[in-house]
Amino acid sequence: MAPFSKIVELADLRELTITCSCEPFPDAAHCGHLKVIDDRRLPWDFEYRVKNRNRRVLSGKDWGKFITTNNVQAGHKVTIERLSKTECKIEVSGT
């Protein structure tokens, strides 16, 4: 799967909305959680829900901690990439 990237908007600081035409993380859709690692190899467990056919949402305690720990701000770019069937990587870059 190709990496998913999004420029963070203000509303995404509370919960990240992913718009896509297909399910980018089928395992997460099934269990309700998306487990990722960041650049420092820290694990994060985000709540993952299918809002409707084209929208997915990442939220929860770990999402808030991730935002704070990585100083994510509106305008930054978040990229999530599947490394294996069970492991995903998340990166944040400034604009």
Side-chain angles (χ1 to χ4, degrees), residues 53-73:
R53 200 169 125 193
N54 295 325
R55 290 186 190 262
R56 309 311 188 247
V57 176
L58 297 178
S59 61
K61 286 184 195 178
D62 268 9
W63 179 250
K65 289 178 187 176
F66 177 80
I67 293 293
T68 302
T69 300
N70 290 282
N71 195 28
V72 179
Q73 299 175 15

Side-chain angles (χ1 to χ4, degrees), residues 7 19-20 28 32 36 40 57 61 64 68-69 75 79 83 85 88 92:
I7 301 299
T19 303
C20 55
V36 300
R40 294 169 293 181
V57 176
K61 286 184 195 178
T68 302
T69 300
T79 302
L83 300 177
K85 184 175 180 176
C88 293
V92 177

Side-chain angles (χ1 to χ4, degrees), residues 19-75:
T19 303
C20 55
S21 59
C22 64
E23 180 54 62
F25 308 106
D27 294 342
H30 177 73
C31 72
H33 291 271
L34 179 64
K35 296 182 181 200
V36 300
I37 55 169
D38 66 15
D39 290 340
R40 294 169 293 181
R41 305 285 302 162
L42 293 174
W44 300 95
D45 185 5
F46 304 137
E47 291 178 21
Y48 184 90
R49 62 185 197 277
V50 178
K51 200 167 188 178
N52 64 37
R53 200 169 125 193
N54 295 325
R55 290 186 190 262
R56 309 311 188 247
V57 176
L58 297 178
S59 61
K61 286 184 195 178
D62 268 9
W63 179 250
K65 289 178 187 176
F66 177 80
I67 293 293
T68 302
T69 300
N70 290 282
N71 195 28
V72 179
Q73 299 175 15

